Amino acid sequence: MTSRNKSYQQPDQPVPATTMTWNMYGAGLESIGKDNQPESFPVLAPSDDQLLIRVDAVGLCFSDVKLINQGAKHPKLYNRDLQKEPTRLGHEATITIMKVGKNLQGQFSSGERYAVQPDIYQNGKSTAYGYTIPGGLTQFHLIGPEMLHTDAGACLLKVSDELAFGESALLEPWGCVWASYTQRRRLEPLPGGVMWIVGQPGDLREYQFSAGLESPETVILTHVPDSLRTLVEQQASKVLIRNDISFERLPAAVDELTGGAGFDDIVVLSPCSAQALSSIAKYVARRGTLNMVGDQPVDGLVDADVGRLHYDYVAFIGNSGSDIASSYGEARNRCDLREGGLAVFVGAGGPMGQMHVQRAIELKGGPREVIVTDINDQRLAEIETRFASLTEANNCKLFTYNPTASDISLPEFVRTKSQNQGADDVVVCVPNAGIMAEAATFMKDDGMLVLFAGVPNGTLAPLDFSSVYLSNAQYTGTSGLTIEDQTVVMNNALSGNIAPAVCVAAIGGMNVAKEGIQAMIDARYPGKILIFPQLEELPLLGLDELAIKLPEVAKALGKGNTWNFAAEQALFEFYNKGVA
């Protein structure tokens, strides 16, 4: 990595008496700020258990639109009165510590830089920075136990000075993308859980269960072969024979046997009915497994809850042999893109979708061909330009497709590019069940479908479950991230494996943060918008405007007109000279 002048990052200026802030007082964009302007508030000294922080960069995120639309009705605000207790957007933030409270001395020091991990749980209750906790669209603010004493510890990741402010802020969305390819599903029987094994009357197959039967506290058997019943009774702690559980009585049985939570693990032997699997799949517990073991396909597509795939991490697994245990484990159930394969990213023209595409292109041992779809030709053209140098450097081919401007359908397009083989991986960045269902139709029998965009729990889509146990197809989804995910991204950035800021399409200062939010909603720029709160007068500028408006900054851009450390350094030097 080339040497970087980090002087502009240091907290060498005195803390001002006031801070400019975009508070949110209710639903609607008009409720952000006062009279369409940021407000000025006093900068307070930290208490013994608080830190005074400077906000250095904030990425604007489309997920904030739900908060803007719902206001106090948003789930993470718990119907609080925003007029009396406003919140503030800005969960993709990087900060510098300015002052440390008495009780935090030794844990934190002035000048240390951190990226915020906004997905917070305290005593099991979900909160979030930029939602429940006012976020980063301010210049200075206090943080305390609400962020430093969470169920996972402090929700701050110390970042290297080798990362620019913008790169550090983008560790959050990048962490969400990276988390999509890590194993969030539980893939072994739950210790102490409740397992239900359901068979078919008259099934004469001989089954084994080579590992895992010792884990559940209770195993419930319904219409299983006698040989398997004997095996389970020999190895399991507690066994219940319940041949009275019919599909009509299944809801009552779930209430009786699991308290309504659902079975932690379900095993279906010799599945044959799609309708039966649709019913059974509803009663998999959060982070539960549905293990299908059979050698014949079912009679149709299964109505699967794609919302729960994304938010509840349910796992649909299986195998075509006789050993039930063969379905489990990470070795059998992959979660990352296939080496040398064809990956399709559906609806990936937005900033987060572009991050998925960039990761695929730069991934060591990743796909060799990538298809990106979007309904916006400008975004697709920008992707081709921005990623041209990356695809060349990584020996990867990039294709783009707009379904509204093509004579052939997306499945036909994929079949053409794959010589009728189908895609190895399909990543859906659009919260639409119909698109999710279509996406599953053009992947290989042993392909992987990743649902990055979430739809509400209870949203059903027809999926081919036969391919899960006959060919080891994978259906996955993830929501949120952890500090560990951000750390992986940071380490990859420092190693030169990924350039986090390539997705940036526009920049702006504190005074235009609200304009930036509107521009994000309007899809005005084909990529991420970065706000630098310390640069009050920086106008909202697309990177393509810099050559005219800020030529010294434009000269420092990377290949393909991309944002980088050098451009950010030139930007701050320009404004610190007072010539803006």
Side-chain angles (χ1 to χ4, degrees), residues 132 233 343 349 370 458:
T132 328
E233 289 176 336
V370 170

Side-chain angles (χ1 to χ4, degrees), residues 306 430-438 455 459-462:
V306 287
V430 183
N432 181 290
I435 293 175
M436 292 172 177
E438 181 190 55
V455 293
T459 303
L460 302 180

Side-chain angles (χ1 to χ4, degrees), residues 543-555:
L543 299 192
D544 57 347
E545 301 176 82
L546 294 181
I548 296 175
K549 303 292 182 61
L550 295 172
E552 293 303 314
V553 178
K555 290 178 182 178

Side-chain angles (χ1 to χ4, degrees), residues 284-288 307-315 457:
V284 181
R286 175 175 168 79
R287 293 190 184 276
R308 297 196 66 214
L309 265 174
H310 177 85
Y311 290 113
D312 287 355
Y313 306 112
V314 295
N457 283 10

Side-chain angles (χ1 to χ4, degrees), residues 162-328:
E162 290 293 328
L163 289 183
F165 291 144
E167 292 171 325
S168 300
L170 295 175
L171 293 179
E172 193 279 336
W174 266 108
C176 291
V177 169
W178 219 270
S180 303
Y181 307 100
T182 58
Q183 202 60 267
R184 291 305 204 260
R185 301 170 294 175
R186 176 171 56 79
L187 293 170
E188 302 288 351
L190 181 67
V194 179
M195 174 183 285
W196 179 37
I197 305 178
V198 54
Q200 311 296 331
D203 184 8
L204 300 178
R205 291 187 72 194
E206 293 286 332
Y207 296 95
Q208 292 82 47
F209 209 136
S210 61
L213 266 178
E214 72 284 354
S215 294
E217 178 180 338
T218 303
V219 179
I220 302 156
L221 303 179
T222 302
H223 298 304
V224 303
D226 290 342
S227 59
L228 179 60
R229 182 189 67 188
T230 300
L231 176 65
V232 173
E233 289 176 336
Q234 291 173 346
Q235 298 187 33
S237 300
K238 179 181 178 182
V239 180
L240 300 177
I241 309 299
R242 292 295 301 268
N243 291 329
D244 62 314
I245 301 177
S246 63
F247 294 120
E248 294 76 15
R249 298 189 60 188
L250 185 52
V254 171
D255 288 339
E256 173 195 351
L257 298 167
T258 73
F263 298 104
D264 300 299
D265 299 285
I266 299 177
V267 178
V268 181
L269 305 176
S270 295
C272 55
S273 167
Q275 183 179 3
L277 283 178
S278 297
S279 298
I280 291 171
K282 296 178 183 178
Y283 298 104
V284 181
R286 175 175 168 79
R287 293 190 184 276
T289 69
L290 173 59
N291 180 2
M292 296 163 283
V293 181
D295 58 7
Q296 297 296 319
V298 298
D299 58 3
L301 300 178
V302 173
D303 286 327
D305 192 330
V306 287
R308 297 196 66 214
L309 265 174
H310 177 85
Y311 290 113
D312 287 355
Y313 306 112
V314 295
F316 300 134
I317 59 178
N319 79 87
S320 59
S322 60
D323 188 354
I324 296 168
S326 296
S327 305
Y328 299 112

